[in-house]
Amino acid sequence: MPPYHPLLGHIPVLSSITASLPSNAHAHYLADQLRRRYPDLGPIYYLDAWPFAPPFLVVVEPSCLSQITSKQPFLPNHPGIKKYLRPITRGQDLSSMEGQEWKSWRRVFSAGFSASSVAELVPGIVEEVDEFREVLRQAAEGGRIVLLDEKAINATMDVIGRVALDHRFCAQANGGNDFTDALRSQVRWTSFGAEMNPWRYVNPAKYFMWWWNRRVMDHYMIRVLEERYAAAEQKGEEAGKTVIDLARRAWIAESEDDEQEAEAKTTSPPSKSSSRQKVHADLASHFARQVLGHMKLFVLGGHDTTATAVCYSFLLLSRHPSSLRTLRREHTRVFGPSTSLTPSLISSHPALLNKLPYTLACIRETLRLFPVVTSPRLGLPSFSLTSPAGHVFPTQDCLVWSCHHGIHNSPVYWPRVNEFLPERWLVPEGHELHPQKDCWRPFEWGARACIGQELAVTELKIVLAMTAREFDIVEAYGEWDAQKGRKGGKRDVEGERAYQVQMGSGRASDGFPCRVKFAEEAAEEEATVVGQEEEKKLGAKG
């Protein structure tokens, strides 16, 4: 453990670290800061922050992280997750549920997030990303500093609306609506209960804001769900390929099975109306409220985390021109030199996205350096972790913290840990750069891994494929701070000005101020290079 005070526990250590960071820095920096301050600490340790937080068992060791997600009985999500989500979903969502209730709903929604289902939704995603491309084009023409986080949030909000609900939020066109505004406000008012800034969870005004924002969200979402249900009834129950459509059909099927089982157990004669008609009538009246919390969770997770990954992808590629050139060459090889044809090619041939290994490597490396979420679990009396050295760590009453940022940024597990190296994801096993097993966990692993990871990666591929050759996006923190008249104060974490702040996911500080420029010359250069390579190949064959 870190140095322990007999009366104050680890509060002095944690306070010292908190004081050394920007006041809005994400809590997941804690594990890495402790490693830097106490190099002999080890990858598994307890923290005592009573009375401000429950006891922590911090885990940044791969084999123990694997135990958390695979060893039975499974550790449930920590109540802090439910506390955070309750103002949004009332606790009726996949992240808050446990046991059989969670299994049933996970089964209902799994089909909608499968690789095949996401592939069928690619044309709708492309439409929304094409609008994002137009937003970037306007930013490039305007020449002003823009906050890319807001632009990306609007784009991914529109995407998840199409994918999950077949609904257009029009966040990019209109800047938002009642639902999106209320959701963003609610995120600012919610807390996990272990934030570095305790004011976030003691501010009394939050209770009114919780009530008001949830009321606005529920009213909007129930209307959308009812309209979607009515449209599905008119088109036939097999119509629609979005998450809500597939979930609706799966739920109907399960409900009919339950109805038939109930009828089999009774001696009374069956009703004149069919079981199917009865089920449909029942679902028509309460289905929207049954899935309300789940859909709000999907919208929250589906837009927030992906938008953050979009921003950090642009940031890292702009800082590493050679990686950006390699990415652009890959896109030119797969989609051809004309960037204007890329959207239609992706829409008509979604399988082309599987031919982008370097793009996928860039995405994985971005999520390594800037993981957007963390994974807190609730310890159980019967569950202990065993380290490679054989040490046993009981978890009872602990917040068991799988700190993704801590393990992703540990030099123990990642050679050249601070470098952006997409190549580490392309080298063969046995190479010094090849990632170790269980060390990369942005979506977590196991039964409770992120249900939307296939959608997130597909969306990121599409965004990069449709924008990377057209635009140079360069951070503008120096200009931004000068405009705001900022002098002094802590504005970086270990030299990183684009540090992550706790706002739903680990988003870029200050909304990622940047300048967007056209990259026509770069695109032409890459097309020429690819053309020359093709000519060489043809010459060799001849």
Side-chain angles (χ1 to χ4, degrees):
M1 287 194 304
Y4 188 81
H5 190 281
L7 295 178
L8 301 177
H10 291 115
I11 290 176
V13 170
L14 299 178
S15 297
S16 175
I17 289 176
T18 301
S20 71
L21 298 173
S23 60
N24 60 348
H26 198 289
H28 71 193
Y29 284 114
L30 181 63
D32 189 58
Q33 291 296 306
L34 284 166
R35 175 189 64 80
R36 293 171 183 271
R37 189 171 294 195
Y38 306 105
D40 298 327
L41 182 60
I44 313 168
Y45 50 87
Y46 293 97
L47 291 176
D48 177 10
W50 186 87
F52 299 105
F56 285 75
L57 177 57
V58 182
V59 185
V60 288
E61 197 283 321
S63 67
C64 286
L65 289 171
S66 179
Q67 292 173 45
I68 292 172
T69 55
S70 62
K71 182 180 175 181
Q72 295 192 22
F74 295 123
L75 289 183
N77 283 338
H78 192 270
I81 292 180
K82 301 176 184 180
K83 178 181 179 181
Y84 178 83
L85 291 173
R86 185 169 293 278
I88 301 172
T89 68
R90 301 178 188 269
Q92 296 301 306
D93 64 87
L94 278 178
S95 290
S96 300
M97 291 176 174
E98 301 290 345
Q100 188 58 46
E101 183 181 34
W102 169 81
K103 289 181 181 179
S104 297
W105 280 107
R106 177 87 179 199
R107 185 166 57 247
V108 164
F109 288 112
S110 290
F113 289 101
S114 67
S116 58
S117 294
V118 171
E120 293 195 52
L121 298 171
V122 162
I125 299 174
V126 168
E127 277 190 51
E128 303 300 344
V129 174
D130 202 31
E131 193 163 339
F132 179 58
R133 188 170 65 161
E134 180 60 31
V135 169
L136 294 179
R137 187 174 292 114
Q138 292 173 7
E141 291 171 348
R144 296 185 296 273
I145 293 177
V146 297
L147 299 181
L148 192 64
D149 179 75
E150 179 184 1
K151 309 297 184 185
I153 283 283
N154 287 338
T156 54
M157 181 75 77
D158 283 346
V159 169
I160 193 62
R162 290 287 293 272
V163 168
L165 298 162
D166 196 21
H167 175 74
R168 306 201 75 164
F169 286 122
C170 297
Q172 297 183 93
N174 303 327
N177 56 40
D178 290 347
F179 177 84
T180 59
D181 292 345
L183 179 60
R184 292 173 186 176
S185 173
Q186 200 78 321
V187 168
R188 290 191 291 270
W189 284 98
T190 53
S191 64
F192 178 81
E195 286 78 6
M196 290 188 178
N197 182 3
W199 177 244
R200 285 195 65 185
Y201 56 90
V202 299
N203 188 344
K206 67 182 181 182
Y207 296 105
F208 172 77
M209 296 306 301
W210 286 355
W211 170 81
W212 176 257
N213 287 327
R214 189 162 57 193
R215 179 175 179 271
V216 172
M217 287 189 292
D218 288 357
H219 178 76
Y220 184 101
M221 185 61 76
I222 287 174
R223 176 176 56 81
V224 170
L225 290 169
E226 289 177 344
E227 289 175 353
R228 184 64 199 158
Y229 208 98
E233 288 289 330
Q234 290 179 355
K235 296 178 182 178
E237 70 172 46
E238 298 304 318
K241 299 175 182 178
T242 63
V243 173
I244 192 61
D245 293 321
L246 296 177
R248 172 182 172 274
R249 294 199 288 272
W251 180 253
I252 287 174
E254 289 202 4
S255 299
E256 288 179 338
D257 290 342
D258 293 342
E259 181 75 14
Q260 290 170 2
E261 183 178 345
E263 287 183 357
K265 293 179 179 179
T266 182
T267 57
S268 59
S271 169
K272 292 182 180 180
S273 60
S274 69
S275 172
R276 175 176 293 272
Q277 290 174 328
K278 182 180 186 302
V279 169
H280 277 239
D282 291 344
L283 288 174
S285 64
H286 70 259
F287 179 76
R289 294 186 181 277
Q290 289 282 331
V291 302
L292 177 63
H294 299 290
M295 301 315 296
K296 286 192 288 185
L297 174 68
F298 296 152
V299 173
L300 172 65
H303 87 278
D304 187 23
T305 55
T306 309
T308 299
V310 166
C311 291
Y312 280 115
S313 295
F314 285 133
L315 173 73
L316 291 169
L317 287 169
S318 71
R319 289 179 178 177
H320 299 85
S322 62
S323 297
L324 180 57
R325 285 194 295 271
T326 303
L327 181 88
R328 285 170 168 166
R329 288 174 185 171
E330 179 175 78
H331 294 172
T332 301
R333 287 191 189 96
V334 174
F335 303 112
S338 176
T339 57
S340 62
L341 297 178
T342 301
S344 59
L345 282 170
I346 296 175
S347 292
S348 57
H349 303 287
L352 289 174
L353 297 171
N354 298 326
K355 298 182 178 181
L356 302 174
Y358 193 80
T359 303
L360 179 59
C362 288
I363 292 169
R364 286 175 171 168
E365 186 70 347
T366 297
L367 292 173
R368 181 186 72 82
L369 289 167
F370 293 99
V372 295
V373 293
T374 189
S375 180
R377 303 292 182 102
L378 176 64
L380 298 174
S382 59
F383 195 102
S384 296
L385 297 175
T386 304
S387 73
H391 301 302
V392 177
F393 294 84
T395 69
Q396 183 176 3
D397 299 326
C398 288
L399 187 162
V400 183
W401 188 13
S402 301
C403 187
H404 302 160
H405 181 276
I407 193 168
H408 285 190
N409 288 272
S410 172
V412 175
Y413 307 112
W414 299 91
R416 301 165 66 180
V417 65
N418 296 321
E419 298 181 45
F420 177 71
L421 292 173
E423 291 75 16
R424 75 171 78 242
W425 301 98
L426 302 172
V427 296
E429 190 173 355
H431 191 284
E432 63 175 351
L433 287 178
H434 190 273
Q436 294 187 39
K437 182 182 178 182
D438 296 323
C439 287
W440 187 75
R441 319 183 66 87
F443 301 109
E444 255 310 354
W445 297 102
R448 297 202 73 138
C450 173
I451 194 173
Q453 59 183 290
E454 183 69 31
L455 170 62
V457 172
T458 299
E459 188 175 347
L460 288 167
K461 285 181 180 179
I462 293 172
V463 169
L464 291 176
M466 290 177 58
T467 60
R469 288 184 293 167
E470 290 194 56
F471 306 101
D472 286 322
I473 298 176
V474 183
E475 61 189 298
Y477 278 102
E479 293 181 75
W480 183 255
D481 288 339
Q483 285 183 12
K484 298 298 180 180
R486 294 170 174 169
K487 296 180 180 180
K490 186 65 175 175
R491 305 199 187 283
D492 68 86
V493 176
E494 299 298 330
E496 178 56 76
R497 180 63 181 86
Y499 63 89
Q500 292 180 276
V501 301
Q502 195 151 345
M503 188 66 70
S505 65
R507 288 155 67 175
S509 62
D510 288 307
F512 187 32
C514 64
R515 288 192 180 275
V516 182
K517 302 177 182 179
F518 290 111
E520 294 177 0
E521 293 181 4
E524 291 174 2
E525 178 185 342
E526 300 307 326
T528 301
V529 170
V530 172
Q532 291 172 348
E533 291 178 354
E534 293 298 324
E535 288 179 4
K536 289 180 181 179
K537 290 180 182 179
L538 292 173
K541 290 180 179 179

